[in-house]
Amino acid sequence: MNRRGFIKSTILLSSSSVFINSCSGSSTHQSSKSFVNGFIISDAHIGWKGSDQPTLNEQKQAINTIRARFPHLDLFFDTGDLHHGYLNENERNEARDFWLTHLVDPFSDSFFSYVPGNHELGKGPNDEEQTATKIGSQNFRPYYSFDYHGIHFVSLPQLLDTILITQESLNWLEHDLYLNRHKTTLIFSHNSIKGTTYDNGETGYRVVVNSDKLLNIINKFDNVIAWLHGHNHQYEIVEKHNRLYVSNGRIGGFSPPTSWGHFGQGHLGGIYFEIHKHGLIIRCFSATKNKFLDELGYLNLAKTLKTNTSFDSLAQCNYYCGHGLLTNNVKYKMQNHYLSNEKPHISTKSLATNIINENHDFEFPTELYFANKKINRLIGYQVSPGSVEVKTTENGLELSNLKKGRFKINIPTLKVKKGMAKRGSYYRCESGDVFILTLDTAEIKTANLKVKLVIFNKEQNILHQTVVTEGQIIKTGEFKVSFSIPQIDHAYEKYLRVSLNFDNVPEKMMLNKLVLNKQGNSKGSSHLYLDNYQLPSHEKLAAITTDVKPKEIKYIGEKPVSTVLKFLDVKWQIRNAISEFVDDTIHVKEWSHNYQKNKTVVLTPIGQNHQVYLNKAIDLMPFRVSYHDSLIKIQSEKVASSTILVFKVLTTIKKIIGADNIQRQGHFLIVVPSSRTLEVHF
């Protein structure tokens, strides 16, 4: 690897002298690389009106400083809250456009990963998980992973609730970690794990509520050496459990009070890291001062974890996605942004339970804290009216202050107001699905119960609603009701909400459990379908290959499964567009979203020495990009004189054939084609 301009600086850490590399021009995609490096930004909070929020120009300048200081990053991460939560959809789209154009696109030659935060998943007029996967150019779900030069990187966001990692996500995480148990692993998330970085005691907002369950999984794998998160805005590095826990600072949003600790308050920036064969290096960077924070006196904000790693300069790049709770009969569309000539692998693991709702046995505490105040929240449910008091006990959930003798519970939490739904639309269903609702009550003589079923589409419009049971008298003990999803053909995505309306209840009552089961198909064995191509039964084969391209998944079987799809030997990461890769030719078929005014297609080669990237293509869909050792050829029926192509140039271009006009602007070439075929030789 060419390491021109690579600077070594010595700093003092924990009374021991260590060397930390300050990258001012380090890596290219060549096999001689001796490390992997990357940068993390977090919490841009574009659109927030708070006094600490930097202007858009200040955020652009911070990114320009990071880009200039670290011109050759292998990896670039954003760990969430790209915009603030209270924005309307037009404001959100403005924020998404700014984020993509000015915060992300400048790193077009780096492998990019986005971990959505609570503010963009909190509410919206559409399925916010789908929005996140589109804006982040992810294949399937917001949780995913990839291998880069032998190191494994995992995205693990909080989906249903700000402080909850869903069981679905945990199923997939454990499956993914097991498959990659021999690789050094770093996990990127938005929130922190309890008992690691500073959280101000705010258990209701700043730590994952099921941290113990999460750690029980992670601690099975000694190869997990770091958890890196956003959300809390401070710069912090804590070594614990033989790994580093890192808070990624801020590129926007509030500045933590100095009472929290010596955490780099007032500095916009992020985290620089390097992974060598023998360790992980973390340094917090101030873009405000264009210096590492340890150079400004924050010696606690740089650290080296000395450990043997699985770094391998010759290892291929693999991308992993899938579903941690894949149930029968539900179809999922996929977008492919990771292109390879290899066949994908599918690994499935049968799950022991059909339960799809979170916190079904009320294990999560209801007494939580936020902003130095006690709050009561029932994770996974919406209880109304607000005067109802909820409290978890050893036996379940205690509900009190039921003075009017009635209350309502919605699962999952879903509140639609002015066309914006607040989280919760995560129970995908399909016509013909059968569900069983089980309610276990205690200390109740009699009460009336009405169960209502509501089906939404991804725009939160009601497709169907019906009362499953009404006037049902329940007593102490177990009550069950089953219902099926009616035939609804005019919507691809369908989401389920169940409302339980209680009447004539005592002032206080106990619920031992509330379980929503999906009843599987007992006929035939379990199968996974890709493009209607049936793969072998997952009971018979744990890892298989198929010739079909994974655009649509369909699982049919009695039990849910955790599924991991592995895309082997990825050659290109394609952002903002859906693509195919055939015979060394990239076929860009359509935009994956419409969040950029000046639409961008970013083609980032992985593990190759190609140094010309097509950044922007206006009115160019669809098109084909063919590449060879010294040539990129672009062909499209839509190429005309009105088309503008912007190339990022990291090496000398020898000639461009088929261009009307060429202008240089810094590292970019603005090219106006004169024909439908453009050749760039370098």
Side-chain angles (χ1 to χ4, degrees), residues 312-475:
D312 180 357
S313 62
L314 300 178
Q316 66 186 25
C317 175
N318 304 309
Y319 178 83
Y320 306 79
C321 60
H323 201 296
L325 190 62
L326 196 64
T327 58
N328 62 302
N329 201 35
V330 179
K331 298 179 180 178
Y332 291 91
K333 291 180 179 177
M334 292 187 63
Q335 301 182 117
N336 194 12
H337 298 279
Y338 297 87
L339 305 187
S340 169
N341 280 321
E342 298 293 327
K343 302 172 183 177
H345 282 227
I346 297 93
S347 176
T348 57
K349 177 183 177 183
S350 184
L351 301 175
T353 177
N354 290 25
I355 298 174
I356 67 171
N357 65 310
E358 300 290 334
N359 200 19
H360 64 275
D361 53 2
F362 308 114
E363 62 177 320
F364 302 139
T366 51
E367 186 176 281
L368 302 164
Y369 294 86
F370 178 59
N372 297 318
K373 295 180 180 179
K374 185 171 72 171
I375 59 174
N376 281 79
R377 291 178 56 197
L378 182 58
I379 305 299
Y381 303 88
Q382 179 185 347
V383 181
S384 60
S387 58
V388 175
E389 297 176 4
V390 294
K391 180 182 179 182
T392 52
T393 69
E394 291 183 357
N395 297 320
L397 179 70
E398 180 183 280
L399 299 108
S400 58
N401 199 31
L402 303 172
K403 294 182 178 179
K404 294 184 178 181
R406 61 179 180 269
F407 69 98
K408 181 170 72 172
I409 297 179
N410 287 336
I411 54 173
T413 54
L414 180 62
K415 183 179 181 181
V416 180
K417 185 178 181 181
K418 294 182 179 180
M420 303 280 275
K422 186 176 181 180
R423 289 186 179 265
S425 55
Y426 301 111
Y427 299 164
R428 290 284 298 273
C429 62
E430 188 50 75
S431 300
D433 284 348
V434 177
F435 293 89
I436 299 175
L437 181 72
T438 302
L439 178 68
D440 192 351
T441 62
E443 299 178 12
I444 179 174
K445 294 181 180 179
T446 62
N448 297 328
L449 173 64
K450 179 174 73 174
V451 179
K452 185 178 180 181
L453 170 67
V454 183
I455 309 297
F456 291 85
N457 62 10
K458 66 178 180 180
E459 290 83 19
Q460 317 300 342
N461 300 315
I462 295 177
L463 302 174
H464 176 83
Q465 53 184 330
T466 186
V467 174
V468 176
T469 181
E470 186 171 12
Q472 178 72 45
I473 298 176
I474 61 172
K475 299 179 180 181

